[in-house]
Amino acid sequence: MLDFQTLLQIFWTGLANSTYAVLLAAAFALVLKVVKVWNFAQAGMMGIAYYTMYWAIQKLGWPAYAALALGAGAAIVAALAMEIFGLQTFRRRHSPPLTFFIFTLVISELVQYVLAMIAGTEPVSLAASIMSTSYIVGGVVVSEWDLKAIAATVVLMSMLFFIMRRTRHGQYMIAAADNPHLSRLYGVNVRKVYALTFVIAAILIAAGMYLFGTRASMVPNTPLEMMLFAVIAALLGGMGNVFGAAIAAVFLGLLRAFSILVIPSAWQSLILYALLFITILFFPKGVQLAGLMRKRPVAKSTASGA
């Protein structure tokens, strides 16, 4: 018989474990919103950031903050290289959207195999031990990792909100997302906007992978599996709704946590695929979990101030 204390523990654990998914979903949704690309190459960037941090921490003995900075830098370089040498070329050629999709998917697969060749296929973790100091709060086990992960996610998402809603560069991003052609007429450098978008997404990716790596271990193809979660969150939260995707990631994290009550953990991915099917079939534009963050017409007013 389940009691309230058990349900509360599952809720807390699911909430904490959804933190890195929130960052990864926000990164995917941000690129989808501004650049209009289903960036499945994000899985490759996730792998690059993760193994760079692993190499810095476990092989070079760097402190966590330095390894995180190096991992973010590696992800930024990879993202900008893809944007400059790949996506910009396709835009000049006026390539169809399918070309962008296939290109990002190929990059993701290529990076996975390269990482497997270099690092091997054994699971690796960023932490010497995934165990963390824990406390009992109101009968609920709360670990230091839980507190740090939730705090880091709240800070990063708050910073993203501030950048997008309170800074000029953020307004340029929203303007380019609404109407890139009109934004160019008003002097917005859309190429720089796209580059900034990938830089912000890469930082979120590195932070998310660091949180994941200090909680669990990873093999080179793990990011591809994690991408499914980000894609479902982006769809469920509403197309191009960054903070809706973040809220959807929390919902999915809690759903996966509570599903253990009715289905073995080995079959939890079935729930995600079922949700993906239902969302695409019945909610192609998402269910708008974050109505507060719905798109608003800002292209004209924002660009006119450029």
Side-chain angles (χ1 to χ4, degrees), residues 175-176 178-188 190 298-301 303-304:
D178 287 343
N179 194 325
H181 302 293
L182 181 61
S183 298
R184 289 189 184 95
L185 293 178
Y186 281 97
V188 175
V190 176
V298 296
K300 284 188 177 181
S301 59
S304 62

Side-chain angles (χ1 to χ4, degrees), residues 68-141:
L68 180 57
L70 184 63
I76 289 172
V77 170
L80 291 180
M82 181 188 71
E83 162 65 15
I84 295 171
F85 299 109
L87 302 184
Q88 286 185 13
T89 300
F90 297 140
R91 293 190 196 101
R92 289 194 297 268
R93 296 175 181 172
H94 302 288
S95 300
L98 183 60
T99 302
F100 293 82
F101 172 80
I102 294 175
F103 177 70
T104 61
L105 192 60
V106 168
I107 288 180
S108 178
E109 292 285 350
L110 176 63
V111 171
Q112 172 194 334
Y113 283 110
V114 170
L115 289 175
M117 290 175 59
I118 296 175
T121 57
E122 292 297 320
V124 295
S125 175
L126 299 183
S129 172
I130 61 175
M131 301 300 294
S132 177
T133 303
S134 300
Y135 310 94
I136 304 297
V137 180
V140 175
V141 178

Side-chain angles (χ1 to χ4, degrees), residues 18-269:
S18 70
T19 51
Y20 49 82
V22 168
L23 299 177
L24 299 177
F28 184 85
L30 180 64
V31 173
L32 179 60
K33 174 183 179 66
V34 179
V35 188
K36 299 295 189 295
V37 170
W38 290 81
N39 183 28
F40 284 89
Q42 175 171 315
M45 299 172 199
M46 290 159 61
I48 290 172
Y50 188 91
Y51 280 95
T52 299
M53 290 186 288
Y54 171 77
W55 176 71
I57 293 174
Q58 302 295 351
K59 303 300 182 181
L60 298 181
W62 285 18
Y65 68 88
L68 180 57
L70 184 63
I76 289 172
V77 170
L80 291 180
M82 181 188 71
E83 162 65 15
I84 295 171
F85 299 109
L87 302 184
Q88 286 185 13
T89 300
F90 297 140
R91 293 190 196 101
R92 289 194 297 268
R93 296 175 181 172
H94 302 288
S95 300
L98 183 60
T99 302
F100 293 82
F101 172 80
I102 294 175
F103 177 70
T104 61
L105 192 60
V106 168
I107 288 180
S108 178
E109 292 285 350
L110 176 63
V111 171
Q112 172 194 334
Y113 283 110
V114 170
L115 289 175
M117 290 175 59
I118 296 175
T121 57
E122 292 297 320
V124 295
S125 175
L126 299 183
S129 172
I130 61 175
M131 301 300 294
S132 177
T133 303
S134 300
Y135 310 94
I136 304 297
V137 180
V140 175
V141 178
V142 178
S143 71
E144 288 187 354
W145 184 92
D146 297 342
L147 299 176
K148 291 178 180 178
I150 292 175
T153 302
V154 170
V155 169
L156 287 171
M157 293 304 298
S158 298
M159 292 175 64
L160 178 60
F161 180 87
F162 178 81
I163 290 173
M164 294 189 67
R165 299 294 176 177
R166 296 292 185 266
T167 68
R168 174 167 294 187
H169 290 296
Q171 292 299 303
Y172 289 168
M173 292 169 64
I174 296 176
D178 287 343
N179 194 325
H181 302 293
L182 181 61
S183 298
R184 289 189 184 95
L185 293 178
Y186 281 97
V188 175
N189 191 325
V190 176
R191 283 189 178 184
K192 289 186 178 180
V193 169
Y194 288 168
L196 176 62
T197 301
F198 276 109
V199 168
I200 294 175
I203 293 173
L204 294 176
I205 289 169
M209 294 311 293
Y210 176 79
L211 292 179
F212 175 81
T214 53
R215 183 70 162 186
S217 58
M218 193 183 88
V219 294
N221 67 343
T222 301
L224 289 174
E225 300 172 3
M226 297 172 70
M227 274 299 300
L228 173 65
F229 201 99
V231 171
I232 296 175
L235 288 171
L236 194 61
M239 296 291 289
N241 191 329
V242 179
F243 299 97
I247 295 174
V250 175
F251 167 76
L252 291 174
L254 292 175
L255 179 64
R256 186 164 59 180
F258 279 100
S259 68
I260 195 66
L261 299 176
V262 295
I263 188 172
S265 59
W267 296 99
Q268 286 183 343
S269 295

